[in-house]
Structures are given as C-alpha cells and as structure tokens.
Amino acid sequence: MPLRRPHTRRVLCASLLLTGSLAFGISSAAGQKKSAPAKPAAHPAAPAAHPAAAGAAHPAAGGAAHPGATTTTSRTTTTTTSAHGMTTTTTAHTTTTSMGARPGGAMAGHPGGGVAGAHGSLAHAGPVGSHDRVGANGNVMRTRANGHPMDVHDARRGMDIHHNLAGGRRISVERADHSRLVYERGRGGYIAHPYMFHGHEYARRSYYYHGRAYNRFYNHYGYRGVYLDVYAPVHYYGVGFYGWAYNPWAVPVAYSWGWGAAPWYGYYGAYFTPYPVYAAPSLWLTDYLIATSLQDSYDAHVADQGQADAAGSAPPAPLTPETKALVAEEVKRQVSLENAEAQANAQHQEGEAASSSIARLLSDGQPHVFVAGKEMDLTDASGQECAVTDGDVLQLTAPPPADATAASLTVLSSKGGVECRNRSVVSVSFEDLQDMQNHMRETVDQGLEELQAKQGKGGLPAAPASALGPPVTALVAENAPPPEPGGAQELAQQDQQAAGAEQEVAGTLPPDGAGPAAAPMAAPAPAAPAAPVSIALGQTTAQVVGAMGQPSKILNLGPKTVYVYPDMKITFKQGKVADVE
C-alpha cells in the first residue's frame, strides 16, 4: 500500500521542558547504591552506570511442552494445536488459523502456533483468517484472509519473503556458511557474517544503502528459546561527554534544524512538531530520533514507489508532548547504559548482552517505550493484523509471562491507515522488540555523534573540554574487515530472484482444500463491555489520554490547553483537568 499523505496542517503543542535529572538505581560490585548524576558543571558528572539485568539469562525452552497445548494425530494426518486461545488446524498440507478467547485477556505471544521448523514470521501464528500451505519439500506459503501472499519460504534457496501491510517486501536468505542476506525495497539491506569474540558469538552486518557501505555489530544472545541480535556500539566516548549529554543544560536553547523545506517534514507535519526550545540534550536527541525515523520512512517509500501518495486522508493524531517525554526518558536511560558500556570497554571488558538487550527491559519492573524503525506487521487483541511504521511509539507496561515468546505493548502514537490504532494492545515478538531497541540505540548513537560535532554551533551550548575527546573504537569492532565489495549487487540479485522464487514455491504446494476439509474458523470471542470512562478534576493529561485516547484536536490557549473529543472538551491548566464541557 502506498504511503498516504496526511494533511500538512500543524498542531502546535506546548513545549515540555525537562529540568530534572533522572535518577537510576544502580548496583556496584559490592551492591552499594550511587547517587543520581549532578547538574552540569565545568566538568559534568557522568550518568550513573546502568544496572545489569536482574538475574541470569532465561534458559532456552529446551523443547518442553507449552502449558495448555495439546497435540492430536490421526490417520488422516490432521494435527490440532491449541495454546492461549490460538487454534491451528493442519489438514494434509494446509493450515488455517483462527483466534479463540484468550485467558484473562492476555495478549502475550507463546511458543507454537506457527509452522514447525520455520523462521521469521512463519515461526509465529498468523493473524485471523491467514492460511498456510506446506509442501513435502519444506516450501511454505502463508496467505492473508484476502488471498494475498504474506510469507513465503523457499527451502531450496534458503529464502524467506515477507509482504507487509504497508506494501513493502522484505527478503532474507540464509547461506551455507551461516551468513545472512537481508534486503528490503527502498531501504537497502545488509549481509551478516557470524564471528567469535572472547568466546561469544557476534554478527558483523555490512549495510549497503544509497551508495554507502558500513559495518554494524551485534551480540548473538539466546533468550527464552529465541536468539536475539543485540546492538553493540562501534565506538564509545569519554565519560565527560556522556555526562554533558545526560544532564540538563544550564539554560534552555533554541535550535534550527533546517527541515523547513524538506519534503518528509511537510509530509508528516500533522504528526510531528519539534520542541521550540531544548532544556536538555535528551530532548534534542528525542527530536533527532523521531525525525530520522520519519525521514527514513519517507525516503523508503519514495525509493520503492517513485513518490509518496498525495491522496488526502484524515490527519493522524499528533505525537503528544507526553509521549515525547516518555521517549526522552528512554533516551536518557540509553545514554546511561552506553556510558556503563564505555567504562567496561575502557577496562577491556566485554559488555553483557543481558544488560544491553530487551532481557533487562522485560525484567526491571519499569515501563519502557520503543520507537519503530521499520515497517512491522503485528496482531491486536482480537487477532486482527495491523502495522506499525517508522516513528510510531509503543509502550511496554508489564513483563510477559515466563513461557512467552512475545510481549504485549500499547500503541501510544501511530499515523492511521493500516497502522494499529492508538491505545490498542498488540503482540510484538521478542525479535521485533529487540529490533526496535536496536533502532533506538543506533539512531541515538548517530545523534550523539552529531551533537558533539555541532556543540557550540546553531544555538547549542558549548561542551566543556572534557566532553570533546574523540571516540575510541569498541573492542568488538577492532580489526573488523571492511564491507565486502559487490555486496550491494548481491543484495539486488536476491531481490530480482524473489519474484521467481514465489512462483516456484506456489507451484510445488498443494491447492487450497487438498486433503480432508479443514476445521471451520472460530469467531473471535465477543469483547467484554467497556467500563464507563471517568474524567475528574485534577487528572493529568496522561491519565485522560489513557482513558479517552488521543484527542481529535489540541487547542493551546495561553495558560490553558483544550483537548477536543467528539462528545466533550477537556480543559487543562498546568497539566491538570480544570474543566469538562
């Protein structure tokens, strides 16, 4: 589906100035706590070292049966697997997925439900109405309820193809030497090579995009029966720079980004408004993160389709100051985490994936937000498919069950169309969740590099001498070979082969309906009646948005702000409800 153009009108949001330092509880080797970072001085204090993940890495599933799952095999080779309300019926070589009631309304993912032995999306259960056909040679094709292809696995080529709701196509190829090629139309791609460092497996990804070739590094980490590629920075800064980039600035500063005439900026004008002034580096980095994500999305669609669709559509709800504040807090946590990693690197110690990955975020008992950095297809609480795209914001508020392979997140901000609705709860696989964290860390790293290069210019405050030292190469990136020549051409060849691969796979699979008739799809369980919404004087904007969803309009009227909903207007003064009409 082509990218749809939202209206270019802007909703002016009140600026949010974060003037306090976020305190991190940390543990030293002796278990003693350290104080929160101090406000900036001539030599700013570094952010406190980030806590390590609580507990050891979760053991792999080890093939244990999933609680509540049952498997029945008959002479007609019909197998039914049920877990957490998801029922998958395989008849001969065809599979149809339906959604039953989920116990307790749980949205978390679970082992099973996908195609046995498959990778990527096919390893997880499909959305309601999806249909799998499995060939004797290992080929698989999953179609959506409308009959359009969703996922294809070509066993001979080791190729997986995913068609997402937004119209993109992603190709992944596993080669005999265990290297992996990944290519997405409009976004370039990478070739990943595994290597060992200090007895641990890493992956070196060589990215090829817009004529550029560069390396990124990832720690290959086993977590709850799946393997995650956890971002490892290419270089680190000195402690003085992280202290300056973490603590508030002495005086809020105005900064001109120079986006005014950029096509992507006008395109997303109704969704994103940068802060008018910056009281802290975390706010500047937040706008850098969101703006870079939106620009990448726009460029990808233009590169794939030739242009972004100019057809009018309802403007998306704006990215609110409250949501941006949550992103800024997450950015500060990431700066603190990288400071701890930098100190370990300076002592020739390897960073721990358990601390740097989503394993920590899923176990520290705190809510966390994630900014999407690519197009992903998810399922909501009813099993319906919806998308998130670059710049959407999701929040994790509770850890997933111990046997889960996915987490439930709430969509805080999206852009309409085929995207998941704001306030909807969606299931995100651990692999996709790690990709979102990687995107945030990689983009924040780019922002840190630009922040150091532009300090003292364009309105940014000058950094102290202790923050100006050049970065040092991370241990995992030392002596890494450059990206192999010809990688971009190899990725393009895989893209060209993908269409032929899909046709070949389709020709090897049994037609729909082959074998005994599939069990009828179960209708989704009716939703429980919604509890009445209660709005009271003194509630915060976050509490109101949590109960009512995003407003259709936001009116900034000097000392008061009005949120407009279809059936009411809510007036805030100093961030709290003062009147309801």
Side-chain angles (χ1 to χ4, degrees):
M1 176 177 291
L3 188 66
R4 300 194 301 172
R5 179 182 180 87
H7 292 178
T8 56
R9 67 176 177 83
R10 291 191 169 275
V11 179
L12 297 179
C13 300
S15 64
L16 181 65
L17 303 181
L18 296 182
T19 57
S21 294
L22 177 66
F24 287 105
I26 63 166
S27 299
S28 65
Q32 297 177 342
K33 292 186 177 180
K34 298 182 181 179
S35 59
K39 291 186 177 181
H43 298 283
H50 205 284
H58 194 286
H66 187 275
T70 59
T71 302
T72 304
T73 304
S74 68
R75 294 176 61 186
T76 59
T77 67
T78 298
T79 303
T80 301
T81 303
S82 178
H84 287 300
M86 178 74 76
T87 301
T88 303
T89 302
T90 304
T91 306
H93 298 282
T94 63
T95 302
T96 302
T97 299
S98 60
M99 182 72 68
R102 293 175 180 267
M107 260 298 299
H110 54 276
V115 178
H119 301 282
S121 300
L122 287 170
H124 301 274
V128 166
S130 63
H131 186 67
D132 295 345
R133 290 188 290 156
V134 182
N137 59 357
N139 288 345
V140 184
M141 178 174 286
R142 172 176 290 169
T143 54
R144 292 185 167 92
N146 60 9
H148 294 166
M150 179 178 177
D151 291 288
V152 177
H153 174 67
D154 183 339
R156 181 174 68 86
R157 292 183 175 89
M159 177 182 289
D160 289 283
I161 305 168
H162 176 72
H163 296 270
N164 60 47
L165 281 173
R169 183 176 73 179
R170 180 182 175 90
I171 302 164
S172 176
V173 180
E174 294 285 344
R175 300 193 293 193
D177 63 355
H178 302 294
S179 62
R180 182 160 54 102
L181 290 78
V182 176
Y183 181 83
E184 189 166 358
R185 285 181 176 175
R187 297 175 182 265
Y190 64 84
I191 301 176
H193 292 277
Y195 70 99
M196 300 300 292
F197 178 77
H198 288 184
H200 296 147
E201 184 178 346
Y202 283 79
R204 173 178 61 87
R205 293 183 185 176
S206 297
Y207 281 87
Y208 302 87
Y209 187 53
H210 285 173
R212 294 180 57 228
Y214 55 92
N215 285 333
R216 291 289 182 267
F217 301 87
Y218 301 83
N219 194 335
H220 201 53
Y221 176 60
Y223 178 70
R224 294 196 180 189
V226 298
Y227 279 95
L228 308 175
D229 285 334
V230 181
Y231 173 70
V234 175
H235 54 246
Y236 293 108
Y237 298 91
V239 65
F241 176 72
Y242 289 116
W244 181 71
Y246 180 87
N247 289 291
W249 286 323
V251 178
V253 299
Y255 181 79
S256 176
W257 291 94
W259 298 328
W264 73 266
Y265 186 54
Y267 193 93
Y268 288 112
Y271 181 72
F272 169 64
T273 301
Y275 290 110
V277 295
Y278 297 95
S282 60
L283 303 182
W284 189 92
L285 289 168
T286 294
D287 275 350
Y288 182 92
L289 166 64
I290 296 169
T292 300
S293 302
L294 295 175
Q295 183 175 1
D296 287 347
S297 178
Y298 181 89
D299 290 346
H301 280 273
V302 170
D304 183 23
Q305 302 167 7
Q307 63 178 2
D309 186 11
S313 62
L319 187 60
T320 66
E322 292 79 11
T323 297
K324 288 181 67 176
L326 293 174
V327 176
E329 291 300 311
E330 202 67 48
V331 167
K332 291 185 69 175
R333 292 187 180 105
Q334 293 182 1
V335 172
S336 177
L337 170 62
E338 185 161 316
N339 173 60
E341 293 174 343
Q343 294 182 45
N345 187 79
Q347 298 172 12
H348 299 281
Q349 296 176 0
E350 183 182 2
E352 294 186 8
S355 176
S356 301
S357 71
I358 61 169
R360 173 179 52 81
L361 306 186
L362 295 177
S363 62
D364 65 4
Q366 300 183 46
H368 291 278
V369 296
F370 298 82
V371 177
K374 65 178 183 180
E375 296 173 352
M376 293 183 292
D377 296 332
L378 309 175
T379 53
D380 63 18
S382 67
Q384 299 295 328
E385 190 178 23
C386 60
V388 295
T389 64
D390 314 56
D392 289 353
V393 183
L394 294 82
Q395 184 178 41
L396 172 78
T397 57
D403 60 350
T405 59
S408 297
L409 279 77
T410 300
V411 178
L412 297 184
S413 192
S414 62
K415 299 181 284 294
V418 298
E419 295 196 17
C420 304
R421 297 189 309 275
N422 286 347
R423 311 309 304 177
S424 61
V425 178
V426 294
S427 180
V428 183
S429 71
F430 290 159
E431 298 96 324
D432 283 341
L433 196 62
Q434 184 62 59
D435 279 348
M436 282 196 281
Q437 190 206 23
N438 289 346
H439 164 69
M440 292 181 69
R441 292 205 60 193
E442 291 169 16
T443 310
V444 168
D445 267 2
Q446 295 171 22
L448 289 172
E449 182 177 359
E450 189 161 330
L451 185 63
Q452 189 188 53
K454 293 184 176 181
Q455 58 81 31
K457 304 174 184 177
L460 291 177
S466 61
L468 299 180
V472 297
T473 302
L475 297 176
V476 297
E478 288 182 348
N479 304 317
E484 52 264 52
Q489 290 76 12
E490 190 170 2
L491 289 168
Q493 290 173 2
Q494 295 298 328
D495 182 50
Q496 294 171 2
Q497 293 179 18
E502 289 194 50
Q503 294 178 359
E504 289 182 20
V505 168
T508 66
L509 298 176
D512 289 346
M521 289 178 55
V533 176
S534 176
I535 302 299
L537 296 177
Q539 286 184 328
T540 65
T541 53
Q543 289 173 316
V544 170
V545 171
M548 297 286 296
Q550 299 291 346
S552 59
K553 295 180 181 179
I554 298 178
L555 307 177
N556 289 287
L557 306 175
K560 64 181 181 180
T561 301
V562 180
Y563 279 23
V564 180
Y565 291 92
D567 55 351
M568 71 176 68
K569 295 181 180 179
I570 303 175
T571 300
F572 297 89
K573 291 183 179 179
Q574 296 182 342
K576 295 186 177 181
V577 175
D579 189 25
V580 179
E581 301 177 34

